[in-house]
Amino acid sequence: MGESKLAGQFFDAAIGLLEKVRDEEAASVAAAGAAIAEAVASGGRLFAFGAGHSSLAAQDVVYRAGGLALMNLLAVPGAVGVDVMPATLGSALERVDGLASAVLDSSPARAGDVLVIISLSGRNALPVEMAMNARALGLTVIGVTSVAYATETRSRHVSGTYLKDHCDIVLDSKIAVGDAELTHEAIEAPFAPASTVVTSALMQAMMAAAVEELVARGVEPPLLRSGNVDGGHEWNGRVMTEYGDRVFYRH
């Protein structure tokens, strides 16, 4: 079997996007890392939220070997992934007004915490309302989104605004509207989305920036280690004990 031309094209597209966000979003990534470090150092808590496939990048930084133990998933029932049946219900819930406020009001999130909201389009009611309400509660909101959607699509929120309009810091994933990197003359629909690759990379870069900032402040980053490495369980037990009141996925 020879190499796949299209597979190679996808890698090239993904690498190109990664280089683009590395170069163009460096200042925003550093600012997001600094905001996370400030929350860790000052007793704040960390939350990540994403609906549908955007939740993949949120889950990627929660309870993760090599990640900060303090990052918690802010889950919206039925909107976290494709496990809900039918899968189309998750998409419908993203457009429901009032759902974000109900979730936030019943969550442990409070003023001084950081909430990372991931939404590729940033146009649906759920992420927009989540950002608006979180800021009203005094949280620092970091948005990870494709800013292009704000000029090429219409908002589905009653305000006509997008996620990017309600964030303290915005990380632009640079993903083109439609989230498909490849086309083929024999196929009408474009294919091969790269948003998960790029968004997850932005999230991990942001966490790396936070670790760097914590070290600069003389604060030991509360990192988790792999349970498959000797001593990993003991290390994680110590971190969980020390920061237990700020880790919500254990209760």
Side-chain angles (χ1 to χ4, degrees):
M1 291 289 289
E3 295 180 6
S4 166
K5 178 182 176 183
L6 288 174
Q9 287 179 0
F10 176 77
F11 280 117
D12 289 343
I15 290 166
L17 282 163
L18 289 170
E19 291 177 337
K20 189 176 178 68
V21 297
R22 178 197 64 196
D23 297 341
E24 298 180 10
E25 297 302 297
S28 296
V29 169
I36 289 171
E38 171 62 27
V40 172
S42 62
R45 294 88 59 81
L46 309 174
F47 299 90
F49 162 75
H53 285 93
S54 289
S55 75
L56 294 172
Q59 293 178 61
D60 193 46
V61 294
V62 177
Y63 186 51
R64 184 68 189 263
L68 291 175
L70 273 59
M71 184 58 80
N72 301 276
L73 183 69
L74 185 66
V76 176
V80 175
V82 294
D83 57 333
V84 62
M85 294 292 286
T88 49
L89 174 60
S91 299
L93 288 173
E94 286 189 66
R95 304 177 191 182
V96 174
D97 293 321
L99 184 56
S101 60
V103 170
L104 264 179
D105 290 347
S106 59
S107 80
R110 66 189 184 196
D113 293 347
V114 169
L115 172 59
V116 183
I117 300 177
I118 306 164
S119 173
L120 179 62
S121 72
R123 69 190 291 233
N124 288 308
L126 187 53
V128 174
E129 182 185 307
M130 187 76 79
M132 293 174 73
N133 288 25
R135 286 182 93 185
L137 288 171
L139 277 78
T140 296
V141 176
I142 300 169
V144 186
T145 186
S146 172
V147 172
Y149 277 83
T151 57
E152 298 181 38
T153 67
R154 181 178 297 176
S155 171
R156 290 192 178 118
H157 188 258
V158 64
S159 67
T161 60
Y162 297 78
L163 169 61
K164 73 172 186 64
D165 299 318
H166 306 284
C167 299
D168 297 285
I169 302 163
V170 175
L171 306 186
D172 184 3
S173 64
K174 316 285 185 180
I175 299 294
V177 172
D179 191 19
E181 294 300 318
L182 303 183
T183 57
H184 190 283
E185 58 194 18
I187 308 171
E188 196 166 335
F191 54 98
S195 61
T196 304
V197 174
V198 177
T199 303
S200 290
L202 277 169
M203 294 293 287
Q204 295 297 350
M206 177 179 69
M207 302 305 273
V211 167
E212 185 176 17
E213 177 68 17
L214 285 167
V215 171
R217 289 170 174 239
V219 178
E220 182 187 353
L223 293 164
L224 295 174
R225 301 188 75 165
S226 172
N228 298 316
V229 175
D230 289 345
H233 284 298
E234 291 76 15
W235 172 283
N236 291 343
R238 177 180 65 81
V239 172
M240 291 292 194
T241 298
E242 184 175 348
Y243 291 93
D245 60 335
R246 296 153 76 182
V247 176
F248 301 104
Y249 49 79
R250 300 188 74 204
H251 307 305

